[in-house]
C-alpha cells in the first residue's frame, strides 16, 4: 500500500534546480504578461521566467451535499488517505464478520465518476484486493471484491456503460 509520502513530494523536488524554485502560496491579485506577477504576500512585483498558476479544484455532489459523508472526493492527500482507510476497514470488517458468523457482506466498492481519476481509483482498489491483500486475511478471499464504476454522462460510450457482459469481460 502506498503511503502519502509515496504519492506526493514537495514542489521543489519536481524541478531540475530546486534552488531556483520559489512557491509563494496565497492569492494573487494581478498577473501581467511578459514576465511579471504580483506577490501574494506583500503585493510587490515579482519577475518570473515561468509562472505556473494552480487554481485548484473541487468535486461536486450535484446539489446533494448529504452524500459527502458517504462518498469522499479525491482531490487532496487527506482525501486519498481517507479512501484508503475506508477500503482497508471494509476488508477488516468482512474478516471479523466471517470469523464471528461464518459469512460476511459482499465486498463491493462503487466509484462514482468514470473519468481518469475514477478509473485510476478503481484500478488501485482492484489491485489492492487481488494483489496485495491475499496474504493478509485467512477467513475471506479479498480477490472476490468487486469494483464498480458508475458514470452519469450521456457521452460515456454505450459499449462501456453496458457492463462487462456486453464487452466479453468481467468487472475489475
Amino acid at each position: 500500500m502506498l503511503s502519502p509520502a509515496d504519492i506526493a513530494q514537495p514542489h521543489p523536488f519536481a524541478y531540475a534546480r530546486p534552488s531556483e524554485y520559489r512557491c509563494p502560496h496565497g492569492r494573487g491579485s494581478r498577473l501581467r504578461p511578459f514576465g511579471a506577477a504580483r506577490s501574494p504576500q506583500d503585493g510587490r512585483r515579482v519577475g518570473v521566467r515561468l509562472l505556473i498558476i494552480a487554481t485548484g479544484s473541487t468535486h461536486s455532489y450535484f446539489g446533494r451535499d448529504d452524500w459527502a459523508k458517504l462518498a469522499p472526493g479525491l482531490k487532496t492527500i487527506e482525501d486519498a488517505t481517507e479512501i484508503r482507510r475506508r477500503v482497508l476497514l471494509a476488508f477488516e470488517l468482512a474478516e471479523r464478520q466471517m470469523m464471528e458468523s461464518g459469512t460476511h457482506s459482499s465486498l463491493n466498492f462503487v466509484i462514482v465518476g468514470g473519468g481518469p481519476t475514477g478509473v485510476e481509483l478503481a484500478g488501485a482498489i482492484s489491485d489492492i484486493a487481488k494483489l496485495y491483500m491475499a496474504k493478509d486475511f485467512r477467513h475471506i478471499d479479498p480477490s472476490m471484491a468487486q469494483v464498480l464504476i458508475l458514470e452519469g454522462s450521456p457521452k460515456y460510450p454505450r459499449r462501456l456503460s453496458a457492463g462487462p457482459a456486453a464487452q466479453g469481460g468481467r468487472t475489475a
Side-chain angles (χ1 to χ4, degrees):
M1 295 283 293
L2 293 175
S3 72
D6 294 326
I7 298 168
Q9 57 182 316
H11 295 105
F13 298 111
Y15 297 91
R17 295 187 198 124
S19 62
E20 294 181 7
Y21 173 83
R22 289 185 306 166
C23 182
H25 292 276
R27 294 182 179 205
S29 59
R30 286 189 147 169
L31 298 177
R32 305 229 173 180
F34 310 114
R38 293 278 179 200
S39 169
Q41 281 84 11
D42 58 17
R44 69 179 162 68
R45 191 173 174 173
V46 178
V48 296
R49 278 184 272 170
L50 175 65
L51 175 64
I52 300 172
I53 302 171
T55 60
S57 64
T58 185
H59 47 272
S60 171
Y61 291 102
F62 307 102
R64 295 294 311 261
D65 292 337
D66 55 316
W67 292 351
K69 61 183 170 275
L70 299 172
L74 184 52
K75 300 293 185 191
T76 66
I77 294 295
E78 291 79 15
D79 293 342
T81 302
E82 174 61 16
I83 290 170
R84 179 180 66 176
R85 184 191 72 77
R86 290 182 186 200
V87 168
L88 295 176
L89 183 60
F91 286 109
E92 291 170 7
L93 290 174
E95 176 84 353
R96 187 171 69 201
Q97 277 183 331
M98 190 65 157
M99 289 178 358
E100 291 174 356
S101 66
T103 186
H104 67 86
S105 304
S106 298
L107 284 165
N108 296 323
F109 298 93
V110 179
I111 312 298
V112 178
T117 303
V119 171
E120 178 110 8
L121 180 59
I125 292 173
S126 181
D127 283 350
I128 288 167
K130 292 175 177 40
L131 303 175
Y132 304 114
M133 300 294 252
K135 296 176 227 138
D136 295 336
F137 296 98
R138 289 183 280 172
H139 302 285
I140 65 169
D141 181 2
S143 69
M144 297 303 294
Q146 289 192 24
V147 181
L148 308 166
I149 301 174
L150 303 180
E151 173 59 47
S153 172
K155 295 182 179 181
Y156 202 66
R158 184 178 282 293
R159 65 180 175 79
L160 295 178
S161 62
Q167 300 167 47
R170 60 185 199 87
T171 57

